[in-house]
Amino acid sequence: MTGGVIVLGAGPAGRALAHRLLAAAAPVTVVDLNPERVWKSTFACWTDELPGWLADSAFAARLDRVGVAGTALEEVDRGYTVLDTPGLQRSLTLDGAEVVADRVVGIDGARVHLKSGRVLDGDVVVDCRGALPHPAPRQTAYGIVVDAATAAPVLEGHEAMLMDWRGGIVDRRRLPSFLYVVPLGHNEYLLEETCLAGMPALDLDELKRRLATRLGGLPSDIRRVEYVNFPLTGSSPQPWRESTFCFGAAGGFKNPTTGYSVANSLMSVDRVVGALAAGRDPIAEMWPAGVRAVHNLRLRGLSALLRLSPTQTIAFFEAFFAMPVEAQRSYLSRRDDLTGVMAAMTRVIRAVDMRTRVTVARGAMSTPEWAGDVSGTPPLHL
């Protein structure tokens, strides 16, 4: 690679890509309207999803297992990591890059037009600006940060609670929500009422009300509040057809049934760097046929999830977390494991009652507009 890479966006995906390109001695230009903005979201993931090059300062908590609860409390015996958001941002240094604070108004091949009138020329452009506004199912959440003593009663002796449906509002006319509780370090915990997926999703006022109901009133010692509201799909349902390579949440690296994208981007970044360094097409490198099929299957999974009633949703996730961890890992974490993803989906569907199975099948066979063309997706054996 003789010229430079223009990275659009300085969020986790863009900053990680620029950081690793710089480590590979590649010339990099980063464009972001506010490149020094401080990240405020909480990022977490399964520990085995993370690359080995992350600095220790990027971690807030590393847990051996997490609790999950549908009708009863169980544990998932798989490591879970909560990232230290400021530490992660600081660790992804951009020393040596040209950082441009401006707004992108157009992309023409490897040329980027900025609002200021400046035009940047590079060898390749990578769009990491996140999922730009578009019609799609969304995930929403309302969270409060409290001390360990306040969090202890809801944790029931566990280090973290990934998904607790108990005590939530079960109303066939409304979307369900669950409680998510994780340590943030420094004696702080995040308690978050989460709407996993909805179109439309539950609004933040409703989630705040539900969290207060669940806790018997909001505590008086809330340290700060966190809000979540993002689309569960990228701007394009088929990012491999875009003329500009999109990376991170912008480019389909988000699991559409969980909303997790940061770890996937961090784990994939060195492969993207390798492709760029070798002059290979990063779209072809990151989106071979098997990966496209997995992506489409997960879009079908999201379509099915949106059709479930609250009680069916809880039963669905009970069946999911009853599977062996390896089957869970295939569906949640592996972009290229088509056989494993199909087997996991089929296994869950066969474990639920017939009414839920039919609902899932209808959702999985539908093709909502936000999912694009999934006609080439392998069929599930229901």
Side-chain angles (χ1 to χ4, degrees), residues 182-195:
V182 291
L184 303 177
H186 312 292
N187 197 44
E188 293 186 335
Y189 278 77
L190 173 66
L191 279 61
E192 192 170 77
E193 190 75 22
T194 305
C195 173

Side-chain angles (χ1 to χ4, degrees), residues 117-167:
R118 184 179 178 186
V119 177
L120 302 176
D121 287 293
D123 286 334
V124 64
V125 175
V126 183
D127 192 344
C128 305
R129 289 178 291 170
L132 302 177
H134 64 286
R138 301 183 75 85
Q139 182 173 122
T140 53
Y142 177 89
I144 57 174
V145 176
V146 299
D147 63 19
T150 302
V154 296
L155 283 168
E156 299 182 43
H158 295 269
E159 293 181 286
M161 196 72 69
L162 181 70
M163 183 178 281
D164 187 352
W165 299 96
R166 303 169 304 164

Side-chain angles (χ1 to χ4, degrees), residues 18-373:
H19 176 76
R20 295 301 285 173
L21 282 165
L22 291 163
V28 179
T29 300
V30 178
V31 183
D32 192 286
L33 184 60
N34 185 10
E36 299 304 321
R37 73 188 185 281
V38 177
W39 302 343
K40 295 185 180 298
S41 300
T42 296
F43 304 125
C45 59
W46 302 105
T47 301
D48 54 36
E49 294 177 329
L50 292 169
W53 53 262
L54 279 177
D56 289 343
S57 60
F59 306 124
R62 311 197 80 174
L63 315 172
D64 293 330
R65 58 192 64 83
V66 292
V68 295
T71 55
L73 179 58
E74 306 289 345
E75 274 194 330
V76 177
D77 192 18
R78 184 182 179 191
Y80 194 75
T81 292
V82 182
L83 296 170
D84 182 308
T85 302
L88 173 66
Q89 185 173 16
R90 287 192 298 268
S91 73
L92 299 175
T93 57
L94 298 180
D95 299 338
E98 180 183 5
V99 179
V100 179
D102 209 336
R103 184 186 300 276
V104 176
V105 295
I107 306 170
D108 179 16
R111 175 172 291 181
V112 177
H113 299 265
L114 304 179
K115 185 178 180 179
S116 64
R118 184 179 178 186
V119 177
L120 302 176
D121 287 293
D123 286 334
V124 64
V125 175
V126 183
D127 192 344
C128 305
R129 289 178 291 170
L132 302 177
H134 64 286
R138 301 183 75 85
Q139 182 173 122
T140 53
Y142 177 89
I144 57 174
V145 176
V146 299
D147 63 19
T150 302
V154 296
L155 283 168
E156 299 182 43
H158 295 269
E159 293 181 286
M161 196 72 69
L162 181 70
M163 183 178 281
D164 187 352
W165 299 96
R166 303 169 304 164
I169 297 172
V170 179
D171 181 344
R172 289 186 59 84
R173 299 166 298 178
R174 302 296 305 273
L175 291 170
S177 58
F178 63 86
L179 181 65
Y180 173 73
V181 186
V182 291
L184 303 177
H186 312 292
N187 197 44
E188 293 186 335
Y189 278 77
L190 173 66
L191 279 61
E192 192 170 77
E193 190 75 22
T194 305
C195 173
L196 183 63
M199 193 172 183
L202 295 173
D203 63 45
L204 297 176
D205 287 341
E206 171 64 12
L207 289 165
K208 179 180 179 180
R209 184 182 72 83
R210 292 189 182 196
L211 181 61
T213 299
R214 183 190 294 274
L215 299 177
L218 294 177
S220 59
D221 57 345
I222 297 173
R223 298 187 175 184
R224 59 187 180 277
V225 176
E226 291 195 13
Y227 307 101
V228 172
N229 188 345
F230 59 77
L232 285 164
T233 64
S235 305
S236 168
Q238 297 174 311
W240 52 89
R241 293 186 174 178
E242 296 297 301
S243 57
T244 300
F245 174 55
C246 298
F247 182 62
F253 285 76
K254 179 182 294 182
N255 187 317
T257 51
T258 65
Y260 283 33
S261 68
V262 172
N264 193 4
S265 300
L266 293 172
M267 185 63 87
S268 300
V269 70
D270 277 355
R271 187 170 178 183
V272 175
V273 170
L276 294 172
R280 299 191 301 271
D281 179 6
I283 296 178
E285 181 85 7
M286 301 307 298
W287 290 104
V291 174
R292 296 198 302 269
V294 167
H295 179 75
N296 285 336
L297 275 174
R298 287 174 172 158
L299 289 176
R300 287 187 180 274
L302 174 56
S303 178
L305 181 64
L306 292 170
R307 289 174 173 254
L308 297 179
S309 71
T311 53
Q312 288 174 329
T313 299
I314 294 169
F316 181 89
F317 281 103
E318 283 187 314
F320 183 90
F321 285 113
M323 291 193 302
V325 167
E326 189 62 22
Q328 298 176 34
R329 183 181 288 113
S330 292
Y331 187 79
L332 295 174
S333 305
R334 292 177 176 157
R335 297 181 69 240
D336 57 356
D337 186 4
L338 178 58
T339 300
V341 170
M342 291 182 65
M345 293 179 74
T346 301
R347 188 167 184 162
V348 171
I349 292 168
R350 288 178 172 174
V352 297
D353 65 84
M354 183 55 68
R355 185 183 295 273
T356 303
R357 191 180 304 177
V358 170
T359 302
V360 170
R362 287 175 177 168
M365 290 185 290
S366 70
T367 53
E369 184 176 347
W370 52 262
D373 180 9

